[in-house]
Amino acid sequence: MRYKTQGRETEALLKLIESNKKPDSVALSELLKEHNINTLKLIAEHTIDVVCLHHPTDGRYLYASPSTAKIMGYTAEDLEGKVPNDFIHPDHFIILQKNISASTTGLSDKPEKLELLFKTKHKGYQWFEGYTVPLYNQQGEVVLILSCTRNIQERKIAETEKQKREIIQQNLLLSSALLEKKKAIIKKVEHKILELEPDMRKELRGILTYIQETLNLDEDWEDFMVHFKKIHPDFYKNISGKFPDLSKKELKHLAFIKLGMTSSDIAKAMLVKKESLRVARNRLKKKLGLDSGQYLFDFVQEY
């Protein structure tokens, strides 16, 4: 029987439902009342939150909802005699203590959400979000502290990854703009040299070569690649393998599209006008074998 892993209230309710041949909403409501099913316990057995009661003096655990075992790995027996500080990361002791103090003294009736690292039984420290609420007797004294916490580990990881991606994207934008400016300077110098007498060109071209080496254009390109590969490690390998004739500039254009940058931002990063970017994009589509109506954004998602 699968009832063994469901919890007592769930087991009792499921047996009643089976014996009554799938009752409608009215009949089910009557079953809950007639057979004294504890709906709060039923909810506690399935909630994704950890609900606990604590002693108002030291925060000692007095009750932990059944969900604690699934979410944190601890049974009620594991928590017996323990306090939250036994599981909270040392860096967060002060934050938690202030919150508990405000609750136990009754100074704060409005729950303040906290994000803390909590040591789970099997997965080490993970991020949890929670709040505490003081419970009063008729004399206005705090007699219990209720805490409600939820595992937000996946959300925190996603937030951290998003922040990293944003930082890398900014670095890519800055490094690309710098590289294009360097290239623009070189082109201007080249045009100036061509305007000179032939006798002077040879010597000045040697100076230009020195300037190019000093500006480290290839090194800047490699730096761009390093940052980009942190986000999309296989993009260049996959797309270059299928389209080996793509130039560095075209690859960078596709990389910016892969990052989700707008045409305006790409034009700024590559130091070109929007019209020039549009022309370059149409040429790129032809090189990739795409129709004019196809979007490059959709294309790069395949890589």
Side-chain angles (χ1 to χ4, degrees):
M1 296 290 285
R2 70 182 190 185
Y3 296 135
K4 291 180 182 179
T5 60
Q6 297 284 353
R8 292 180 181 178
E9 296 303 314
T10 304
E11 179 182 346
L13 180 60
L14 291 177
K15 286 181 177 179
L16 284 172
I17 290 174
E18 287 185 6
S19 63
N20 283 270
K21 298 179 180 180
K22 296 182 180 180
D24 59 23
S25 58
V26 176
L28 184 55
S29 178
E30 290 300 319
L31 279 177
L32 292 173
K33 294 176 183 177
E34 289 175 12
H35 295 273
N36 198 29
I37 296 294
N38 190 322
T39 52
L40 289 179
K41 283 187 178 181
L42 183 67
I43 293 170
E45 287 172 1
H46 297 280
T47 182
I48 61 171
D49 294 334
V50 173
V51 182
C52 299
L53 292 175
H54 308 264
H55 194 280
T57 303
D58 54 13
R60 182 164 44 88
Y61 286 98
L62 302 175
Y63 166 82
S65 61
S67 57
T68 308
K70 181 179 179 181
I71 298 169
M72 294 180 170
Y74 299 114
T75 63
E77 291 74 20
D78 292 330
L79 298 177
E80 190 174 343
K82 299 288 195 306
V83 295
N85 272 357
D86 292 330
F87 305 96
I88 295 298
H89 193 281
D91 291 348
H92 296 165
F93 279 169
I94 296 177
I95 301 173
L96 178 65
Q97 200 55 48
K98 285 181 179 179
N99 181 266
I100 292 176
S101 178
S103 295
T104 55
T105 56
L107 295 177
S108 176
D109 289 334
K110 186 177 180 181
E112 177 189 0
K113 281 189 177 181
L114 300 178
E115 292 185 358
L116 303 170
L117 280 169
F118 188 96
K119 190 175 184 179
T120 62
K121 190 170 184 177
H122 305 295
K123 297 181 180 179
Y125 284 106
Q126 291 203 332
W127 281 100
F128 281 78
E129 178 185 72
Y131 60 87
T132 58
V133 178
L135 305 180
Y136 301 92
N137 62 13
Q138 291 184 346
Q139 288 72 43
E141 301 167 327
V142 179
V143 293
L144 282 174
I145 301 294
L146 182 145
S147 68
C148 185
T149 53
R150 174 176 296 190
N151 189 308
I152 58 168
Q153 179 72 5
E154 290 185 5
R155 190 184 86 193
K156 292 294 285 188
I157 290 174
E159 289 174 356
T160 301
E161 287 300 314
K162 182 182 177 184
Q163 289 172 356
K164 286 181 180 178
R165 289 171 68 90
E166 289 174 350
I167 291 171
I168 292 172
Q169 183 164 322
Q170 286 300 315
N171 288 337
L172 284 170
L173 186 60
L174 291 172
S175 64
S176 177
L178 181 60
L179 178 58
E180 296 303 323
K181 283 181 181 179
K182 288 179 179 181
K183 287 180 178 179
I185 292 170
I186 294 294
K187 282 186 178 180
K188 285 182 180 179
V189 175
E190 284 180 324
H191 285 307
K192 289 294 181 183
I193 290 175
L194 290 173
E195 293 174 2
L196 299 173
E197 294 296 327
D199 294 341
M200 300 179 64
R201 291 180 190 173
K202 186 175 181 181
E203 184 178 348
L204 289 175
R205 280 192 179 279
I207 295 173
L208 180 62
T209 301
Y210 173 76
I211 293 173
Q212 287 175 318
E213 291 173 354
T214 304
L215 290 176
N216 291 323
L217 299 182
D218 288 337
E219 192 174 300
D220 285 337
W221 169 254
E222 291 303 321
D223 185 56
F224 174 90
M225 292 279 284
V226 167
H227 284 299
F228 184 81
K229 285 179 179 178
K230 288 179 180 177
I231 309 177
H232 303 291
D234 299 322
F235 179 78
Y236 275 106
K237 180 182 70 175
N238 293 340
I239 204 162
S240 297
K242 191 169 183 180
F243 303 96
D245 295 331
L246 291 174
S247 67
K248 287 182 179 179
K249 195 165 188 176
E250 289 168 334
L251 285 170
K252 183 180 285 189
H253 193 160
L254 292 173
F256 284 144
I257 295 172
K258 181 72 173 178
L259 289 169
M261 292 169 61
T262 64
S263 295
S264 296
D265 287 338
I266 294 174
K268 289 177 184 176
M270 301 183 75
L271 298 179
V272 297
K273 294 180 180 179
K274 285 187 178 180
E275 182 58 38
S276 298
L277 185 72
R278 195 175 296 114
V279 172
R281 193 162 286 187
N282 288 333
R283 287 175 182 164
L284 187 52
K285 283 183 179 180
K286 289 180 181 179
K287 207 167 184 179
L288 296 170
L290 302 178
D291 296 331
S292 58
Q294 290 181 272
Y295 293 103
L296 282 171
F297 178 82
D298 295 333
F299 171 79
V300 297
Q301 300 316 309
E302 299 175 9
Y303 297 86

